[in-house]
Amino acid sequence: MANGTFAVLMLIGGLTDMGMNYCGTADGCLGPNETRSRVAFSLGQWVDREAEAKGEAYLRYDLGRKFGPFGQTMGISVSEDGEGWVGYGATYGTNIGYSPFYAELHAMPGLYFNNDGFDLGGPIEFRSGIELGYETSRGWRVGLSYDHRSNWDIYDENPGVETVQLRVSIPTR
């Protein structure tokens, strides 16, 4: 169970990077900067926890603007039984050394629609996770993603769900 671990790691990594590479520059710690926008398609499966294992499709769009080291992203997912989620949040990514391999963390608050399926406790659900992958010289990415969704105990019930996905990201410009 991941809980908010990935969100905390994203903040630690991003704030450390911000302090070392962004603060003290002309644009400041959270100055806007352009980055490559991407559309990502994922297929995966809920990992058996309290919910039964089921397939999920996920579409994500990474906007072409960052604030300091933090990117902006929005996503929408639907399970094979009709549960849906839509959210907006932040990403923090880094290359692994000087290789084409990367790691990216994300944290996204959003709305969950159980559609008479698995009840995550309420409509406000937070999604955070990690993706490890490979980026081609043309900017295409293929990665394995693991994320967690739960309501951060803002409701009485908080069963949460984890998803493992294969993701393909394509630059949009």
Side-chain angles (χ1 to χ4, degrees), residues 78-100:
V78 64
S79 79
E80 67 183 77
D81 290 339
E83 294 97 339
W85 177 88
V86 61
Y88 173 86
T91 64
Y92 171 69
T94 185
N95 287 346
I96 300 173
Y98 294 100
S99 75

Side-chain angles (χ1 to χ4, degrees), residues 10 14 17 22 29-37 60-74 88-94 104-109 141:
M10 186 191 83
D17 187 10
Y22 293 85
C29 298
L30 291 172
N33 56 82
E34 297 297 313
T35 189
R36 188 174 264 176
S37 58
R60 197 171 100 179
Y61 180 69
D62 295 339
L63 287 72
R65 178 163 288 221
K66 290 171 51 175
F67 293 96
F70 298 104
Q72 301 173 76
T73 192
M74 56 185 146
Y88 173 86
T91 64
Y92 171 69
T94 185
E104 183 177 79
L105 296 155
H106 67 270
M108 304 168 68
R141 288 182 168 183

Side-chain angles (χ1 to χ4, degrees), residues 42-153:
S42 304
L43 291 175
Q45 184 164 329
W46 287 15
V47 177
D48 188 19
R49 201 170 141 191
E50 289 185 37
E52 68 180 60
K54 62 181 77 178
E56 180 181 71
Y58 184 34
L59 175 66
R60 197 171 100 179
Y61 180 69
D62 295 339
L63 287 72
R65 178 163 288 221
K66 290 171 51 175
F67 293 96
F70 298 104
Q72 301 173 76
T73 192
M74 56 185 146
I76 185 168
S77 68
V78 64
S79 79
E80 67 183 77
D81 290 339
E83 294 97 339
W85 177 88
V86 61
Y88 173 86
T91 64
Y92 171 69
T94 185
N95 287 346
I96 300 173
Y98 294 100
S99 75
F101 295 97
Y102 67 91
E104 183 177 79
L105 296 155
H106 67 270
M108 304 168 68
L111 296 174
Y112 177 72
F113 308 93
N114 70 16
N115 294 324
D116 294 324
F118 187 68
D119 185 4
L120 283 175
I124 298 172
E125 299 292 331
F126 301 89
R127 185 174 202 147
S128 62
I130 187 168
E131 178 181 340
L132 301 172
Y134 177 85
E135 183 173 347
T136 70
S137 60
R138 298 187 65 147
W140 285 57
R141 288 182 168 183
V142 176
L144 185 62
S145 177
Y146 177 85
D147 68 28
H148 171 79
R149 258 172 293 173
S150 69
N151 62 46
W152 215 12
D153 290 324

